[in-house]
Amino acid sequence: MDHLSEKEKQTMRDLQDSLTADPFPLKTYTHIGKRGPRRLDGLPKASGKADYTMDVQLPGMLHMRFIDSPYPHAKIISMDTREAEQLPGVRYMLRFDNPELPERASMGKVSGLYGDPPPLSGIAHFEGEPMGAAVAAESEEIAEKALELIRIEWEPRPFNLDIIKAMEKDAPLSYPEMYPDSNYWNNGLFDVLTQGDVKKGFAKSEKVIEFEFVRRGHTWIGPERPCGVFQWKGDCPEVWVKQQRPHLVKKNLSTWYGGVPMNKIQLHCLYQGASFGGWVQVPWNMGPLYCAGFVAKKTGRPVKYVFTRREDFYGGSMDGGTYRFKVGFNKDGTILAVEGTSICENQIWPVFNPMNHLKESTRIPHLSGKCVSIWVNKGPTVPTRCEQLPTTLSLTAIFSRVAAECGLDPIEVALRNDGEEGHDMAHLNKKKKKLGFAVIDSLKECVDKGKAAMDWDKKWHPPGTQKLPNGRMHGLGFTWTNEWDDSLGSSEMAIRIERNDGTASILAMGCDNGVDAENTYCRIAADELGFRLEDVHYNPQVDTGFFRMSPDSSTNMSINGWAVRHAARILKKQILEAAVGPTAKTQRGSFRPAFPDCKPEDLDIIESVIIKKSDPADRIKVADFVREAGQSGPLTSTESGGFRWAFTEPLFAYSYHVQVGSYNPVNPRPHMTRQAHFLEIEVDTETGEIHIIKVVNVNDVGKAINPMSCEGQQYGGSIMGLSRGKFEEMIYDPATGVLLNGNLLDYKIATTLDVDAPIDTILVESGMGYGPYGSVGIGEDVGTVMTGLIGPAVHNAIGVWINDHPITPDKILKALGK
Amino acid sequence: MTENTKNDFRCPYCRRLFDSLSAMKNHMLENHRDGDLPKPEGQIRLTINRKKYIQDVKPGWTLYYLIHDQLGFTGSKQFCDRGACGSCTVIMDGKAVLSCMILAIECDGKTIETIEGIAEAEHPLIPSYVKHHAMQCGYCTPGFVTTSKALLDRNPEPTEPEIRTALSGNLCRCGTYPQHVTAVQETAITLKSQTRQRG
Amino acid sequence: MKDFIHFNAYSIDEAVALLSRYGGNAEIIAGGTDLLGKMKDRILPSYPEALINIKTIPGLDQIEEKEGMISIGALVTLSCVAEHPVIQKTCTALAQAASRTASPHLRNMGTLAGNICQDIRCWYYRAPQNRFSCLRKGGGRCYAIKGDNRYHSIFGGSVKGGCFAVHPSDTAPALIALNARIITSKQSISADTFFNVGVTHTTVLANDEIITAIQIPAPAPDTRSTFQKFALRKSIDFPIVNCAVAVTEKNGSIAHARLCLNAVSVVPRRAVKTEEVLTGNKIDETVAEEAAMAAVADAKPMEGNAYMIPVTRAIVKRTILACRENHGG
Ligand SMILES: Cc1cc2nc3c(=O)[nH]c(=O)nc-3n(C[C@@H](O)[C@@H](O)[C@H](O)COP(=O)(O)OP(=O)(O)OC[C@H]3O[C@@H](n4cnc5c(N)ncnc54)[C@H](O)[C@@H]3O)c2cc1C
Ligand code: SF4
Ligand code: FES
Ligand code: FES
């Protein structure tokens, strides 16, 4: 155990090592950083064997459906459900005014900003809101038919769709129950960010520009729709739910129905048909589950609900709104001051200031940012892929405008302004050194690699100047920012050595949402234990009682990676200590006396074999060491036939990692790694179409523990980001507030033909992350940052700014005066 | 129903209508003297993954509902439920079709292959999909694999544009598109060497 | 889906008899790709009592060439049309249109006849649960006029002057450009006059009338035809504008031209003025541009759809240019 010093043991104890560089990385890596086909979820997913909550069926299961509000804002005055209740096959009618329903229940709130809505509301605040009543019936067909038989007298209320109008004094109230005074979130409290003095900055600037743009709200579109199944086994609930956060479900569930002890809840979070954070964080998200449990109790039957595709459209990402900026800069591209306001609709956490990334990753001395959230009668908006969307959109817009105004290459402007909290790179470099990191110019590395891949210098041209032989205009776009993750969460994970064959099982409930995280944990555990990769397995769908972050709260490797590494290191120590022990460690059995003359530090484990370092031929397989625990199981009586089965002490270790750093202003850590993205397009000026020609993503992930999974986040994020930038928006009828495109034909997500360009994925490994081995997250980054990149690329092509996103053909034609 | 007296007699075997009982009788004697007994209303006979099924179905059932909810072929997924995403794809009589937009009652006599059948037959697409990480959340993946299988059956050496076009009715929210091209192309090579070995 | 009665029809007569028995409350189902979507969303105030499956009628899935005519049975799918070598060669515009319709899966299911009989796609009309009972559902007003009409007609309305829903078919303009005839259980109608908008219909078909085949006369020698489509996404999406043209050349100039647009007006729109510009000319950039201008000369955009005019112009121009001899088309 030579890599485990006293100091490291101490570190493991206080678990506070993610505020500095990883002090104890491994010297060599066997599985970490390797490409390879192993995906724990690969075979089940490709062969259709992976089970999702949508697929769950239980004997006697009832199907539950909800009324969807036809109005954007309305109250139920009276509701006649008699006819529906009489329909054969209807088993339970749960009405919002059922006296047994609590007025409020803990509905999975994250921050409580919405208050805690009741599980089933009698008032709708957006069209399509599932509310009013839930019908449980023998089939979905019958439930649907029953809904049609419910007669409701509505009191439609005035509503808002437009944030700017909703800000006006005499605007109707959008959410009067929660916000009785105005449509401003928290009645006008904004998130404000200030650094320096923007007035001074503008005065010093050679040039000052002002601009505004609109981003239309869009949504997540999880391929598997929100759903769950609830059944009671006596007083123990057994629950299946599509939920990115099992721990949160369990915690909330324990407070329902008068309280359910945590140890009686059996929860299954199967494979997740992705939710990108979206659905998971809405306080309404657990309302249907609450109702299912309620009805399951009343009927004695398992109850399943599946939202319709349209019902899944009830929320959106946090970027829908109007953005206003004033920027002061010098002609060489040095930015001196930025003042920015984002006015966004229904942000559940309006604390993600448009200036955040400018503060974190630039030397711009003077910043002033305000984030305003306005309530309108649309669904709530929550971080979708990431809440950094508004701020990265802002950064992209500001930097590309400045570059265009100065007639400079945007890459030059980025390099010129790279820094941290108003200070230059020298300042950041000092911090890198102090925290134990190598001093590497991350942006420069990213940019150099990306430029080469894009052949940037050859292709770059001033805006609107490059007409191609095919008649289209050629455009290039560039953006950058820091690479981010968060450790705003905690994690506990355990590893157990199976007694009969010495394989290792990682234990912790989480959820698989497709980022191949489980495989990554296995790589870490295998390398740390000295095991073969195939000897480490992890099934996160089993509730072992341990909860890891699941990748959610923007937190995956940066927390779980540590937890699994700590556990593996402790476990390795346990194994080696047992290996040098004398026999009869426990009363009833013993490990083999494998290396009785050695000390633990004389040994190592390589490829699942314990070896003596001084004489590697002296070896025993871990499997042989732990050996069989008896054919009829370890519990066979030791007396039978006077024969003793070997039954050894369990080899098991757990560890945990507590919340440390955060990109919230609460506990900031300087961001040292960067990402840079390059986009090449052609614009058809006759039809307004944008053709994607090439994409280059460069991410400094510090250390790529599972490179193929990082690349998946790059091309996957690029495609999602470009789809958002080109197509995605939720379209409402202005007169009635009805969502017009709540289906997958009218709400457009890119097909394989829409982004069929080559996507070069480049990983830089500077080691400057706070995660284990110097890693930093990537899952949220690319999908978020790429969303805004269409804008500058289109400007470079046609020489005109389009201030309304997504950039659809009609807007391009309009900008061209056609 | 109105007092339309024409066509009131339906042949229980083939459900053709006749004007009179005697016409129907003659038809039955002529055409259905031997062979199976008539099929009850709402019953279909079909082959799924090389096995024969006799199923009673309701008119409103889609093929997706039949295979997924009734028969347990849960590999077909339901992303959009409106024909716009390809996640519910099955191969019917050799063509990739959308099970959410087909009535089960109209599948009498059809031969269907689902992702389960493709996996059972150890089609090289599956390891190739795993190898190239042509999946993230995996919800859309069976639909892609099934569509690709139908493509390779028809076109053993597809070009990149041909693959993209064939897969252009399949949506993937996780953005795994580039990997499908690689996975399908590699499978084509594997299949070719397999046939060469056999031949 | 709600309950309904399901019939497999084994002959045209049987299907017609069932239709007339249900007097408008039954629907023919072919590929079902349009019909089932409507039923799942319950967009209409009424729901069909019965569906009559015509896929069980033998012989309707054939493409035949006879007597200077290509005859496409009512059950021929769009992918069969797109892949048929003779159609590709002599009726290029139709093969191209079929290959650009919807998605590959839907083309394996949807029929050509179903494609021209499909219902409109106006998002007010298609909102689930009959949310907007607009003019087209017998209601009093059109919600698109003052609503979001980015995909609506640029050539005025229909029903009571109000409905601005466009005809969404991709194959219709090709059939019109190729001078096709629609053969029904009652009559033979030219594709030109087949489309007709009313409160509950988009074609001239009677309640108990069934298309049995679509016939295309073999084009005159030196005829070429092409089709182009503009949609937001390159697959799945309905057209925002599409255009088909067929030109016959004689002595190096156009002797005869038929050009049809769709998705921009309430029914497929023959662009007669454009045809006039083309006739007697040789196809080049200038002529194509002029012809394209003529196609949109009387467009009257609504608030949200003015962009469709330049797009239409571009698509018309490109369709014509693609019809030049060395373009293969
Ligand atoms: C996601 C999606 C995308 C689509 N994209 C496109 C597109 O890009 N372009 C496009 O043109 N279409 C598109 N469609 C519409 C698609 O449904 C049609 O293209 C298809 O061809 C319809 O044929 P079908 O056989 O499935 O019709 P069905 O649904 O079976 O029938 C449609 C209608 O026609 C009637 N009908 C069918 N056959 C006959 C007959 N022989 N005689 C009389 N009436 C008949 C039916 O009663 C019904 O009312 C799309 C559909 C979906 C779901
Ligand atoms: S355009 Fe036609 S279908 Fe659409 S709302 Fe108006 S009347 Fe109805
Ligand atoms: S679920 Fe069938 S096509 Fe989307
Ligand atoms: S892998 Fe998630 S939708 Fe395709």
Side-chain angles (χ1 to χ4, degrees):
Chain A
M1 299 215 80
D2 50 352
H3 60 274
L4 199 69
S5 67
E6 272 316 306
K7 198 167 154 220
E8 156 103 346
K9 283 183 203 154
Q10 177 58 38
T11 314
M12 275 166 56
R13 258 168 250 131
D14 58 27
L15 298 166
Q16 288 291 335
D17 45 4
S18 58
L19 286 168
T20 63
D22 183 351
F24 309 104
L26 288 170
K27 287 200 191 85
T28 55
Y29 300 103
T30 311
H31 308 297
I32 289 173
K34 295 284 148 58
R35 314 176 72 82
R38 188 180 195 253
R39 268 190 84 108
L40 295 177
D41 56 352
L43 198 56
K45 283 178 180 172
S47 59
K49 290 281 184 280
D51 270 333
Y52 296 78
T53 310
M54 280 266 285
D55 302 325
V56 173
Q57 288 189 61
L58 301 177
M61 186 173 88
L62 297 177
H63 299 262
M64 193 168 73
R65 285 283 306 270
F66 293 80
I67 292 175
D68 299 336
S69 168
Y71 300 105
H73 195 189
K75 188 175 173 177
I76 296 181
I77 302 291
S78 71
M79 184 167 77
D80 182 352
T81 49
R82 280 170 302 183
E83 205 184 330
E85 284 166 64
Q86 292 311 312
L87 188 72
V90 170
R91 296 293 169 250
Y92 200 84
M93 174 69 66
L94 181 61
R95 296 168 53 107
F96 73 95
D97 52 5
N98 184 316
E100 288 179 63
L101 274 185
E103 239 163 68
R104 281 155 193 279
S106 97
M107 289 291 109
K109 65 169 181 171
V110 174
S111 56
L113 298 180
Y114 270 106
D116 253 347
L120 194 63
S121 179
I123 304 170
H125 294 98
F126 54 94
E127 185 267 337
E129 181 176 349
M131 46 84 69
V135 186
E138 297 289 349
S139 71
E140 275 200 85
E141 242 172 284
I142 299 173
E144 213 172 294
K145 204 186 261 176
L147 289 178
E148 288 191 353
L149 297 175
I150 297 176
R151 310 257 167 274
I152 299 177
E153 194 189 328
W154 296 92
E155 178 195 287
R157 296 170 167 182
F159 63 90
N160 294 298
L161 290 178
D162 183 303
I163 37 173
I164 304 299
K165 284 190 196 137
M167 287 163 78
E168 284 163 14
K169 240 199 155 104
D170 48 359
L173 290 173
S174 307
Y175 278 74
E177 281 71 30
M178 285 168 248
Y179 293 97
D181 300 325
S182 78
N183 291 323
Y184 284 81
W185 175 79
N186 233 0
N187 295 323
L189 252 182
F190 320 113
D191 181 62
V192 178
L193 179 155
T194 30
Q195 173 176 292
D197 180 347
V198 280
K199 270 206 194 102
K200 267 194 210 150
F202 291 133
K204 273 201 231 150
S205 301
E206 289 170 16
K207 203 163 178 188
V208 176
I209 56 167
E210 286 182 66
F211 65 96
E212 176 178 316
F213 66 84
V214 172
R215 167 72 226 189
R216 312 268 161 188
H218 69 278
T219 187
W220 44 77
I221 312 291
E224 180 189 19
R225 285 146 27 205
C227 55
V229 186
F230 205 123
Q231 84 171 338
W232 290 92
K233 288 181 163 168
D235 57 353
C236 301
E238 185 174 12
V239 176
W240 290 256
V241 63
K242 186 206 173 191
Q243 247 288 354
Q244 214 177 300
R245 289 179 165 172
H247 47 100
L248 207 65
V249 180
K250 218 167 153 178
K251 181 175 138 198
N252 289 302
L253 208 160
S254 72
T255 67
W256 297 349
Y257 321 119
V260 184
M262 289 284 277
N263 60 1
K264 290 191 174 174
I265 302 170
Q266 196 181 348
L267 181 63
H268 309 276
C269 281
L270 307 178
Y271 284 108
Q272 304 281 307
S275 41
F276 306 100
W279 188 64
V280 75
Q281 311 189 58
V282 190
W284 283 278
N285 70 1
M286 277 188 241
L289 190 65
Y290 185 103
C291 296
F294 187 96
V295 175
K297 200 160 211 170
K298 292 285 171 196
T299 55
R301 307 262 299 264
V303 175
K304 179 177 187 175
Y305 68 91
V306 177
F307 272 19
T308 62
R309 176 42 67 196
R310 194 177 163 82
E311 281 169 336
D312 183 47
F313 272 87
Y314 71 65
S317 69
M318 300 212 320
D319 57 337
T322 297
Y323 298 71
R324 294 175 181 151
F325 298 103
K326 184 173 173 185
V327 188
F329 51 94
N330 289 343
K331 286 185 189 123
D332 66 354
T334 310
I335 305 175
L336 297 174
V338 187
E339 191 174 64
T341 306
S342 63
I343 309 165
C344 293
E345 53 194 37
N346 295 7
Q347 279 189 345
I348 187 169
W349 300 337
V351 293
F352 295 91
N353 199 287
M355 293 296 105
N356 268 5
H357 273 231
L358 294 172
K359 178 164 190 276
E360 287 168 0
S361 309
T362 74
R363 57 182 291 187
I364 304 169
H366 307 287
L367 297 173
S368 164
K370 197 158 90 173
C371 172
V372 183
S373 175
I374 300 295
W375 292 108
V376 291
N377 295 98
K378 299 179 182 175
T381 78
V382 294
T384 304
R385 198 93 195 208
C386 187
E387 67 286 327
Q388 320 266 338
L389 190 43
T391 164
T392 56
L393 274 179
S394 304
L395 181 139
T396 300
I398 291 161
F399 269 72
S400 46
R401 293 263 180 170
V402 170
E405 290 288 333
C406 300
L408 293 169
D409 181 335
I411 296 174
E412 205 183 316
V413 178
L415 288 166
R416 187 172 294 281
N417 291 285
D418 191 9
E420 191 235 351
E421 304 221 337
H423 303 288
D424 62 7
M425 289 305 285
H427 174 87
L428 184 59
N429 287 344
K430 255 187 250 155
K431 281 195 181 173
K432 290 178 188 167
K433 217 167 164 183
K434 196 167 148 223
L435 294 170
F437 292 101
V439 178
I440 290 170
D441 190 339
S442 181
L443 182 60
K444 178 98 186 2
E445 288 218 359
C446 292
V447 157
D448 286 348
K449 292 205 159 96
K451 274 172 95 164
M454 184 53 100
D455 205 357
W456 178 272
D457 287 334
K458 213 169 117 207
K459 289 179 184 169
W460 175 253
H461 54 78
T465 56
Q466 186 120 319
K467 190 163 179 168
L468 297 162
N470 64 10
R472 298 175 185 162
M473 298 302 288
H474 177 269
L476 281 184
F478 165 82
T479 192
W480 70 289
T481 188
N482 59 267
E483 187 81 24
W484 71 84
D485 60 23
D486 196 356
S487 37
L488 192 68
S490 302
S491 172
E492 50 181 5
M493 292 174 87
I495 312 178
R496 201 172 86 89
I497 302 294
E498 297 290 340
R499 14 181 103 252
N500 289 304
D501 65 0
T503 53
S505 299
I506 299 178
L507 308 172
M509 190 182 200
C511 82
D512 170 83
N513 61 7
V515 301
D516 199 26
E518 290 67 30
N519 180 7
T520 317
Y521 308 143
C522 287
R523 279 171 199 269
I524 292 177
D527 261 5
E528 293 290 349
L529 287 168
F531 275 33
R532 296 180 305 185
L533 189 55
E534 60 265 37
D535 291 336
V536 184
H537 189 75
Y538 178 26
N539 176 0
Q541 284 131 15
V542 176
D543 182 1
T544 56
F546 295 103
F547 282 122
R548 55 163 244 243
M549 298 308 294
S550 49
D552 67 37
S553 302
S554 318
T555 305
N556 174 26
M557 286 314 298
S558 59
I559 282 287
N560 297 322
W562 288 116
V564 73
R565 170 167 140 180
H566 297 322
R569 287 190 179 182
I570 295 168
L571 184 61
K572 182 172 181 186
K573 188 163 168 262
Q574 260 184 41
I575 298 171
L576 297 186
E577 274 166 4
V580 300
T583 59
K585 220 184 167 211
T586 62
Q587 198 188 347
R588 300 226 156 168
S590 67
F591 293 107
R592 279 159 211 266
F595 302 93
D597 313 326
C598 294
K599 291 201 196 86
E601 50 271 33
D602 300 335
L603 306 178
D604 203 355
I605 308 176
I606 294 171
E607 294 194 20
S608 307
V609 179
I610 308 172
I611 57 152
K612 197 167 168 181
K613 280 192 269 191
S614 58
D615 176 14
D618 192 355
R619 53 169 54 214
I620 181 169
K621 285 185 191 157
V622 176
D624 293 337
F625 175 67
V626 301
R627 76 170 149 201
E628 259 187 70
Q631 279 163 317
S632 9
L635 302 180
T636 305
S637 161
T638 51
E639 311 308 327
S640 65
F643 188 79
R644 281 172 72 140
W645 295 106
F647 191 60
T648 46
E649 186 182 28
L651 289 170
F652 166 82
Y654 71 90
S655 190
Y656 61 102
H657 192 87
V658 293
Q659 168 181 344
V660 244
S662 156
Y663 49 50
N664 259 346
V666 188
N667 190 8
R669 303 171 295 185
H671 289 271
M672 290 163 295
T673 55
R674 299 286 183 259
Q675 54 183 315
H677 305 288
F678 306 75
L679 174 65
E680 181 178 14
I681 61 166
E682 290 175 11
V683 175
D684 186 328
T685 54
E686 289 181 337
T687 61
E689 271 173 297
I690 302 167
H691 299 268
I692 312 283
I693 303 302
K694 189 176 167 84
V695 181
V696 178
N697 303 122
V698 194
N699 290 73
D700 179 358
V701 293
K703 169 90 191 149
I705 299 172
N706 181 350
M708 287 183 81
S709 129
C710 293
E711 288 158 7
Q713 296 309 303
Q714 291 181 301
Y715 56 73
S718 277
I719 290 166
M720 188 193 227
L722 293 169
S723 176
R724 287 164 149 188
K726 273 183 77 171
F727 305 123
E728 295 186 31
E729 63 181 309
M730 288 156 82
I731 302 167
Y732 295 86
D733 175 47
T736 57
V738 172
L739 179 66
L740 293 174
N741 62 342
N743 62 65
L744 281 175
L745 177 64
D746 297 315
Y747 184 95
K748 316 220 175 265
I749 68 178
T751 72
T752 186
L753 291 176
D754 298 304
V755 187
D756 60 353
I759 301 177
D760 279 12
T761 51
I762 300 172
L763 296 169
V764 171
E765 296 182 283
S766 69
M768 296 193 300
Y770 299 98
Y773 321 106
S775 61
V776 57
I778 185 171
E780 295 184 337
D781 298 50
V782 187
T784 301
V785 180
M786 286 299 285
T787 304
L789 190 49
I790 284 272
V794 167
H795 175 260
N796 184 250
I798 64 173
V800 189
W801 290 105
I802 292 174
N803 296 319
D804 190 349
H805 304 253
I807 301 188
T808 43
D810 53 320
K811 293 172 192 165
I812 292 186
L813 291 171
K814 200 169 156 200
L816 291 170
K818 299 205 177 182
Chain B
M1 250 174 252
T2 48
E3 21 58 271
N4 191 335
T5 51
K6 257 192 99 195
N7 290 328
D8 258 340
F9 300 91
R10 178 179 290 281
C11 166
Y13 288 90
C14 66
R15 308 192 67 236
R16 247 165 90 177
L17 284 174
F18 293 89
D19 292 349
S20 67
L21 185 61
S22 58
M24 185 183 82
K25 239 172 158 175
N26 288 340
H27 157 85
M28 280 168 64
L29 289 172
E30 214 167 284
N31 294 285
H32 305 295
R33 205 180 262 277
D34 332 294
D36 294 339
L37 283 174
K39 225 161 34 75
E41 192 90 355
Q43 189 176 86
I44 56 168
R45 295 172 193 186
L46 71 172
T47 306
I48 306 176
N49 300 333
R50 292 171 289 278
K51 295 204 175 66
K52 296 215 172 352
Y53 288 76
I54 299 182
Q55 279 303 126
D56 292 320
V57 298
K58 285 200 202 164
W61 288 7
T62 58
L63 177 60
Y64 171 82
Y65 180 79
L66 173 68
I67 61 172
H68 182 277
D69 286 38
Q70 296 289 319
L71 302 176
F73 294 106
T74 55
S76 320
K77 296 286 180 258
Q78 198 187 61
F79 183 168
C80 76
D81 196 18
R82 292 294 183 278
C85 79
S87 71
C88 64
T89 303
V90 298
I91 303 175
M92 188 193 268
D93 295 341
K95 298 212 155 164
V97 294
L98 306 170
S99 64
C100 75
M101 296 295 269
I102 292 174
L103 293 178
I105 203 166
E106 296 178 358
C107 293
D108 187 44
K110 300 287 183 198
T111 300
I112 288 164
E113 202 177 353
T114 70
I115 183 69
E116 286 86 356
I118 296 169
E120 232 168 67
E122 296 184 2
H123 197 284
L125 267 170
I126 291 176
S128 185
Y129 262 67
V130 178
K131 177 175 166 193
H132 295 289
H133 286 212
M135 67 191 72
Q136 283 183 23
C137 78
Y139 201 74
C140 69
T141 317
F144 274 93
V145 176
T146 311
T147 310
S148 302
K149 158 76 166 55
L151 167 70
L152 289 170
D153 285 351
R154 200 160 31 88
N155 178 357
E157 276 175 85
T159 61
E160 167 163 358
E162 282 169 346
I163 295 170
R164 293 223 188 233
T165 302
L167 294 175
S168 68
N170 295 76
L171 293 180
C172 174
R173 186 50 158 164
C174 301
T176 58
Y177 300 131
Q179 299 316 95
H180 296 277
V181 176
T182 321
V184 173
Q185 275 175 337
E186 193 181 280
T187 310
I189 295 167
T190 312
L191 282 171
K192 218 167 137 191
S193 71
Q194 280 179 0
T195 26
R196 217 180 292 125
Q197 274 162 19
R198 261 187 252 119
Chain C
M1 264 179 291
K2 256 189 185 171
D3 294 341
F4 53 86
I5 302 169
H6 185 271
F7 297 95
N8 287 325
Y10 292 88
S11 66
I12 309 271
D13 285 350
E14 184 187 353
V16 169
L18 283 164
L19 278 177
S20 53
R21 181 177 295 190
Y22 277 94
N25 291 328
E27 293 273 354
I28 293 288
I29 175 165
T33 59
D34 180 43
L35 188 62
L36 295 180
K38 276 168 68 179
M39 288 169 68
K40 285 184 180 199
D41 279 329
R42 300 179 191 199
I43 64 167
L44 297 177
S46 66
Y47 196 80
E49 242 175 84
L51 292 194
I52 299 153
N53 179 21
I54 57 171
K55 290 189 288 299
T56 35
I57 302 178
L60 290 186
D61 56 353
Q62 302 298 315
I63 299 177
E64 287 163 27
E65 295 163 71
K66 52 180 178 195
E67 295 152 27
M69 196 69 101
I70 295 173
S71 175
I72 303 169
L75 290 173
V76 172
T77 60
L78 294 165
S79 47
C80 289
V81 172
E83 286 157 20
H84 197 271
V86 177
I87 297 180
Q88 282 177 345
K89 191 155 176 284
T90 59
C91 310
T92 316
L94 179 62
Q96 287 173 339
S99 74
R100 285 287 280 115
T101 302
S103 73
H105 307 68
L106 287 163
R107 296 196 285 272
N108 286 340
M109 303 157 70
T111 60
L112 179 61
N115 190 269
I116 58 173
C117 294
Q118 66 176 301
D119 207 349
I120 51 168
R121 283 276 160 181
C122 165
W123 47 21
Y124 292 92
Y125 182 79
R126 290 260 172 177
Q129 314 295 341
N130 186 24
R131 180 64 181 77
F132 299 100
S133 76
C134 67
L135 283 181
R136 281 299 269 273
K137 299 177 179 180
R141 58 178 277 225
C142 168
Y143 290 82
I145 292 182
K146 288 211 172 115
D148 196 312
N149 45 36
R150 67 183 75 185
Y151 304 133
H152 286 75
S153 166
I154 52 169
F155 289 105
S158 62
V159 183
K160 300 175 200 158
C163 175
F164 288 81
V166 298
H167 195 281
S169 165
D170 271 318
T171 62
L175 291 172
I176 291 174
L178 292 164
N179 207 3
R181 293 196 75 79
I182 317 298
I183 314 301
T184 76
S185 49
K186 285 204 172 116
Q187 53 180 327
S188 158
I189 318 159
S190 97
D192 260 329
T193 52
F194 177 74
F195 299 95
N196 176 30
V197 191
V199 169
T200 56
H201 54 89
T202 55
T203 69
V204 297
L205 291 181
N207 276 340
D208 61 348
E209 193 171 1
I210 296 176
I211 298 182
T212 57
I214 292 162
Q215 290 186 346
I216 304 168
D222 290 323
T223 300
R224 282 185 303 276
S225 65
T226 50
F227 169 89
Q228 297 233 347
K229 167 172 176 175
F230 177 86
L232 279 188
R233 290 180 297 179
K234 294 196 176 109
S235 181
I236 307 175
D237 276 0
F238 278 93
I240 288 176
V241 178
N242 65 18
C243 175
V245 63
V247 300
T248 309
E249 268 180 1
K250 217 179 228 164
N251 308 327
S253 65
I254 296 171
H256 188 71
R258 285 174 72 90
L259 186 141
C260 185
L261 291 168
N262 201 18
V264 287
S265 61
V266 295
V267 289
R269 185 181 168 89
R270 266 287 288 286
V272 184
K273 281 187 200 145
T274 308
E275 293 171 1
E276 280 166 8
V277 174
L278 292 174
T279 312
N281 271 313
K282 246 177 112 99
I283 300 179
D284 58 24
E285 284 273 347
T286 331
V287 169
E289 184 71 55
E290 196 190 330
M293 287 297 280
V296 295
D298 41 5
K300 297 182 285 290
M302 303 168 80
E303 200 185 320
N305 65 5
Y307 73 98
M308 282 163 67
I309 296 176
V311 174
T312 306
R313 221 168 59 212
I315 295 301
V316 171
K317 186 175 99 185
R318 289 173 192 188
T319 316
I320 294 169
L321 288 174
C323 222
R324 273 184 294 196
E325 190 158 19
N326 47 11
H327 261 76

